[in-house]
Amino acid sequence: PANFLDWRDQAKSFDAMAAFVDQRYNLTGLGEPEEIPSQVATPNLFELLGANAALGRTFTPADAAEGREDVAVISHSLWQRRFSGSPDVIDRVVTLSGNPVTIIGVMPPDFKWFVKENSLTGKPAELWKPWVFTEEMRVRRGRYMSAVARLAPGVSPVEAQAEMDGIAARLEKQYFDFNAGWGASVVPLRDQLAGEIKPALLVLLGAVGFVLLISCVNVASLLLARAAGRHKEMAVRSAMGAGRRRIIRQLLTESLLLALLGGVFGLLLARWGVEALVAMSPANLIDAEQVGVNPLVLGFTLTVSLLTGILFGLAPALEASRVRLSDTLKESSRGTAGSSRGRRIRDALVVAEVGLALVLLVGAGLMARSFLRLSGVDPGFDAENVLTLRVILPPAKYSEDAKIVAFFREAVGSMKTLPGVSSASAVSALPFADLGAATSFTIEGRPVPAPGEEFVTDVRVVDEEYFRTLNMRLVAGRTFTVQEAMEDRKVAVVNEAMARTYFSGESPLGKRIVVNMKDDPEPTEIIGVVGDARYSSLEGEVRPMVYWTPPQLTYSSMMIVLRTSVPPESLADAARREILSIDKEQPVSDVRTLESWLGESMARSRFGTLLLGGFAGLALVLAAIGIYGVMSHSVVQRQNEIGVRMALGAQARDVLLLVIRQGLLLVIVGVALGLLGALALTRVLSSLLYEVSATDPMTFAGIALLLLLVSAIACYIPARRAARVDPLIAIRYD
């Protein structure tokens, strides 16, 4: 907070700067109690974002005066859900976490303000309260806020970053102990809102573009093949007075008609396809209400259809319009394969089609291997058959640490009595569900690290049953006893990453550390080492971790975890009832399985892999159809030639190999060019891959062989038909 005040006061690159932090409040007195994801924000947040209330008003500076913070603005969804959309909600007093609060405004339904990467709740806020700065907050301790600012007119993000770098340098020098090594990053809000989905969407856009190109190349090659069979028709039209421009116009009209019909059919499929994509997408990936086929999409589709019809119909039209009347009219209608120029163009299109398909297939293969690697990572705990639920005790009702500790011990104890529950525990921040806490620490008997070089560790508060409930491995020493979980005995358990990083070559057991989570931290003795557990991501290195008991660091918000011998979901209602039996005004949230939390962490990777794999599969099918179509048409056009070859002694096997060899030669050239293109383009996937190189040779080789195999099948079918040609029938066409 103190740094924010200095940023706001010193920065001239911004018209305004606001701060916010996520909170959870319990809404009671309106039927069933409910936990509401909320934000506490400086009063100028809505004005800065250019958002006005649909009903009532937003905050004014007076609302942030000490003692005046008992007002709130609510979201449109909360207004509809808990207040039935009643206009009488303004000036209505509700109870939030035991305190009376007056509702002064309702935001419009299109107000979408959710920066997931900065969120401490993982959910969009449905209620806002004004931030009141106290003198305590001017003391530099703790980092938990987010800031948003509006650039002043004519100021670029680069210029703003330069100014913030200067301010951060001054604050580092002025408050070295707190700000050493800390700066400020200016990030465009659009990029922050897009978050980690942006690279995936760009890859998806590229995949769609590749499929479109493959489709267009496919159609162009087939139109060229069709045009080769219409040489005589064009010659007759030309002989009857049709000029070259007239012929090109006719062929382009046919191409445009095909493109428009395809576009219309695609739009019909899109209505179903978009619904399917939204249904498959992970939670919080996209705003489903804003995804659909709208006028912009219709216009884009029409434009793309027209452009592809013109661009990829032009080459076949130009080729078909080049007619030599005397030569063409003398040729057999079935015996020519068209001009050598037309064949070269068709061959080039087949090569391009194969190359494009290979690039897309390699990208999908890399994503699939990456996802398999990610799926195989051991999280360090057993997520199967574990139910979780969040309980946040209101400070107004549970103001003493002893009351909080007693409540959670009673809650965990009652959960253990439920039929089908084999173990129960409580933790301050659940793996893959919460950000948790991190801080600096020192090791007794060692020099205190210089500012900016402090030892850093994550901190979790757990009871004595936590490690057994999640089946976490004990490496050395022991875990907490019942007495240690009920009294502050100054003991701690650490993970293997802590032992490796800060106690390399020695045992951490018996060592004393001072973890800076309190105003006056005291040393705690390490009594055990447990296996590494991942808490936020399956990727990257595991962070050092210190586990404390509730009396040492009391949290009013805890996650209760139950290991069950029955399907965890079947105990959800019973678990809620147990909490309500202890406190009838206490809401419960996030009642779900630990497996779902873990699966959600991989949902984006799974979704991206699924989409890219689908488009790659479509590209493979299109490439096979294109190769088959061109080779099949070539066989029809060359029936006379094949008949002559067989009449002169060629065997069916010779003809079969001839056709396959000619087709595969084009495919091999396409694969070679595609491999070069993939080496260059798949590097953009590097940020999306896990433990897989963007140039992974196994993936490249496997995809190349797959494409060769599919292409060989596509060539074999028309080649087999060619090998069965009756020489007498084929020659008779002349």
Side-chain angles (χ1 to χ4, degrees):
N3 277 352
F4 166 75
L5 293 175
D6 285 327
W7 291 357
R8 185 189 64 182
D9 296 341
Q10 298 179 31
K12 307 302 180 185
S13 297
F14 307 102
D15 274 346
M17 187 181 296
F20 60 94
V21 63
D22 292 333
Q23 298 278 3
R24 290 184 172 95
Y25 290 111
N26 294 338
L27 178 64
T28 56
L30 295 172
E32 185 177 347
E34 181 182 359
E35 177 196 298
I36 308 296
S38 310
Q39 275 183 355
V40 177
T42 51
N44 64 333
L45 174 67
F46 297 109
E47 181 184 2
L48 185 151
L49 295 175
N52 296 313
L55 194 66
R57 65 175 178 87
T58 57
F59 302 130
T60 64
D63 293 320
E66 197 162 358
R68 291 283 306 278
E69 68 271 21
D70 54 350
V71 295
V73 174
I74 63 175
S75 69
H76 186 272
S77 60
L78 180 60
W79 178 47
Q80 293 291 326
R81 189 175 70 250
R82 297 307 301 257
F83 302 95
S84 303
S86 171
D88 296 337
V89 71
I90 302 301
D91 293 331
R92 183 170 178 177
V93 178
V94 298
T95 303
L96 284 181
S97 296
N99 296 311
V101 173
T102 302
I103 297 174
I104 61 171
V106 178
M107 296 306 292
D110 60 350
F111 179 65
K112 309 291 184 183
W113 166 244
F114 179 48
V115 187
K116 183 174 175 60
E117 291 187 0
N118 292 59
S119 176
L120 299 178
T121 63
K123 302 173 184 177
E126 293 189 293
L127 183 146
W128 292 265
K129 289 188 64 181
W131 187 290
V132 177
F133 278 97
T134 63
E135 286 303 313
E136 267 184 35
M137 294 179 183
R138 295 186 179 275
V139 178
R140 282 168 168 78
R141 186 172 75 86
R143 305 176 195 274
Y144 52 90
M145 298 177 67
S146 297
V148 59
R150 184 172 293 280
L151 287 169
V155 178
S156 70
V158 175
E159 293 169 327
Q161 180 67 69
E163 184 186 31
M164 291 304 297
D165 287 342
I167 294 173
R170 289 197 299 271
L171 293 178
E172 181 178 16
K173 186 176 181 181
Q174 189 174 359
Y175 306 100
F176 187 73
D177 287 350
F178 182 74
N179 281 327
W182 288 86
S185 296
V186 176
V187 183
L189 181 58
R190 183 174 296 277
D191 293 348
Q192 193 78 354
L193 291 174
E196 55 193 43
I197 191 180
K198 185 175 180 180
L201 286 178
L202 291 175
V203 169
L204 180 59
L205 179 64
V208 173
F210 268 77
V211 171
L212 177 63
L213 278 176
I214 293 169
S215 301
C216 291
V217 168
N218 208 340
V219 172
S221 63
L222 293 175
L223 285 175
L224 271 172
R226 184 168 179 264
R230 297 176 68 185
H231 264 59
K232 195 161 189 176
E233 174 195 340
M234 296 302 134
V236 172
R237 290 179 180 273
S238 182
M240 294 178 68
R244 189 182 181 196
R245 184 177 297 178
R246 177 77 175 270
I247 293 173
I248 292 175
R249 189 163 63 241
Q250 176 196 333
L251 294 175
L252 275 180
T253 301
E254 294 176 3
S255 176
L256 279 173
L257 182 61
L258 286 172
L260 286 174
L261 287 173
V264 171
F265 181 64
L267 284 173
L268 294 176
L269 288 178
R271 185 175 183 84
W272 168 83
V274 167
E275 292 177 357
L277 284 176
V278 171
M280 289 190 302
S281 65
N284 297 327
L285 177 68
I286 51 178
D287 185 354
E289 295 177 2
Q290 297 183 1
V291 177
V293 180
N294 55 31
L296 182 63
V297 173
L298 291 172
F300 176 78
T301 304
L302 177 63
T303 302
V304 169
S305 297
L306 289 172
L307 287 176
T308 54
I310 293 172
L311 293 175
F312 289 89
L314 190 59
L318 290 173
E319 179 61 26
S321 66
R322 291 189 178 93
V323 178
R324 294 183 181 180
L325 291 180
S326 58
D327 294 339
T328 304
L329 292 174
K330 290 177 184 178
E331 292 174 345
S332 163
S333 63
R334 297 286 301 272
T336 180
S339 68
S340 59
R341 177 186 175 87
R343 286 196 299 271
R344 287 197 297 271
I345 295 176
R346 290 200 302 275
D347 292 349
L349 289 174
V350 169
V351 169
E353 188 173 22
V354 171
L356 291 169
L358 187 131
V359 173
L360 194 50
L361 283 164
V362 166
L366 291 172
M367 289 286 286
R369 289 203 67 197
S370 173
F371 179 72
L372 289 175
R373 289 281 183 91
L374 191 62
S375 302
V377 173
D378 180 11
F381 55 85
D382 180 10
E384 189 176 0
N385 288 333
V386 174
L387 182 70
T388 73
L389 55 148
R390 187 187 307 279
V391 177
I392 301 177
L393 301 178
K397 194 172 185 178
Y398 296 88
S399 57
E400 300 174 10
D401 288 353
K403 287 185 177 180
I404 297 172
V405 172
F407 177 93
F408 284 111
R409 288 208 67 83
E410 183 179 357
V412 169
S414 66
M415 296 296 173
K416 292 178 182 177
T417 64
L418 292 175
V421 173
S422 56
S423 178
S425 177
V427 58
S428 59
L430 187 73
F432 297 94
D434 301 288
L435 290 179
T439 188
S440 61
F441 74 98
T442 58
I443 301 174
E444 202 173 65
R446 294 189 191 179
V448 176
E453 300 177 3
E454 295 95 343
F455 299 156
V456 178
T457 181
D458 287 358
V459 178
R460 296 292 183 275
V461 172
V462 302
D463 62 19
E464 75 280 6
E465 290 289 318
Y466 177 72
F467 304 109
R468 187 169 76 88
T469 301
L470 290 194
N471 287 338
M472 292 176 60
R473 181 169 50 93
L474 178 63
V475 177
R478 62 177 178 84
T479 58
F480 302 121
T481 64
V482 173
Q483 289 73 26
E484 288 166 342
M486 296 176 63
E487 302 173 10
D488 184 0
R489 298 289 186 90
K490 303 293 186 299
V491 290
V493 173
V494 301
N495 67 349
E496 287 180 290
M498 167 72 85
R500 284 194 307 270
T501 306
Y502 299 112
F503 298 95
S504 179
E506 59 179 321
S507 172
L509 298 180
K511 299 292 193 300
R512 288 158 59 91
I513 57 177
V514 180
V515 183
N516 298 313
M517 287 293 290
K518 298 181 179 180
D519 291 334
D520 298 310
E522 298 179 75
T524 55
E525 180 184 347
I526 299 174
I527 61 170
V529 180
V530 294
D532 289 335
R534 296 180 178 271
Y535 277 80
S536 59
S537 174
L538 291 174
E539 305 175 47
E541 294 293 326
V542 178
R543 295 160 59 95
M545 178 73 74
V546 169
Y547 296 96
W548 271 356
T549 55
Q552 291 176 263
L553 182 64
T554 305
Y555 278 94
S556 60
S557 170
M558 298 283 277
M559 290 289 282
I560 297 176
V561 291
L562 316 177
R563 177 162 296 282
T564 69
S565 57
V566 297
E569 300 90 341
S570 65
L571 295 175
D573 291 337
R576 285 192 181 94
R577 286 194 298 271
E578 290 298 325
I579 297 298
L580 291 174
S581 69
I582 301 173
D583 185 342
K584 64 180 180 180
E585 292 186 338
Q586 181 58 52
V588 176
S589 64
D590 291 329
V591 183
R592 52 190 291 191
T593 65
L594 184 53
E595 282 184 309
S596 71
W597 287 112
L598 183 59
E600 191 175 284
S601 70
M602 297 189 293
R604 295 186 181 220
S605 178
R606 183 187 298 109
F607 187 58
T609 302
L610 180 66
L611 287 182
L612 190 56
F615 282 112
L618 182 59
L620 182 62
V621 171
L622 288 174
I625 291 173
I627 295 167
Y628 168 80
V630 170
M631 297 307 298
S632 183
H633 193 275
S634 175
V635 166
V636 172
Q637 293 292 318
R638 297 172 62 186
Q639 278 201 16
N640 177 257
E641 173 201 336
I642 292 170
V644 172
R645 287 178 180 273
M646 297 186 74
L648 292 174
Q651 300 297 314
R653 183 169 58 85
D654 299 325
V655 174
L656 185 73
L657 293 176
L658 172 68
V659 176
I660 292 177
R661 184 169 61 248
Q662 290 175 343
L664 283 183
L665 181 61
L666 300 176
V667 173
I668 290 171
V669 174
V671 166
L673 294 176
L675 288 173
L676 294 176
L679 284 170
L681 294 179
T682 52
R683 295 182 188 276
V684 302
L685 291 174
S686 296
S687 63
L688 302 176
L689 301 178
Y690 174 71
E691 290 190 353
V692 175
S693 168
T695 57
D696 179 54
M698 185 177 296
T699 302
F700 276 68
I703 293 299
L705 289 174
L706 173 64
L707 192 53
L708 283 170
L709 177 62
V710 172
S711 300
I713 295 172
C715 292
Y716 172 77
I717 298 173
R720 185 181 177 189
R721 188 167 63 246
R724 293 178 176 179
V725 169
D726 188 333
L728 294 178
I729 296 176
I731 296 172
R732 197 176 298 161
Y733 282 121
D734 274 343

